[in-house]
Amino acid sequence: LGVGLALGPEERTASDVRRAARTVLADGGFTRRAREMQRDMSALPGPEHAVALLEALHRNPVPRPLLAR
């Protein structure tokens, strides 16, 4: 997603984490993409939407399984 860096198991030393953090903080592209992701996530419906869907499903159950095998 371009909002951070992944470190492998062999790259989890203090100096590797420090270097990755400095890279992320110095590169404005990470910040820009994180803000875009924040905007996208803020536009999604909240938990009240999920509650309404579950309540509707409870009132009107689906006659067959939702997932086919």
Side-chain angles (χ1 to χ4, degrees):
L1 299 172
V3 297
L5 296 174
L7 299 177
E10 68 287 345
E11 301 172 304
R12 293 183 184 156
T13 65
S15 62
D16 290 331
V17 171
R18 185 181 311 108
R19 185 174 27 260
R22 287 181 175 156
T23 298
V24 169
L25 293 172
D27 184 338
F30 288 104
T31 301
R32 181 179 47 77
R33 288 184 294 273
R35 286 190 177 133
E36 290 169 0
M37 180 182 234
Q38 179 186 27
R39 277 193 304 273
D40 292 346
M41 291 178 72
S42 293
L44 295 172
E48 66 281 353
H49 180 70
V51 170
L53 291 174
L54 290 171
E55 288 173 341
L57 184 59
H58 177 70
R59 285 190 304 274
N60 303 302
V62 176
R64 57 185 170 72
L66 293 174
L67 299 175
R69 290 184 185 213

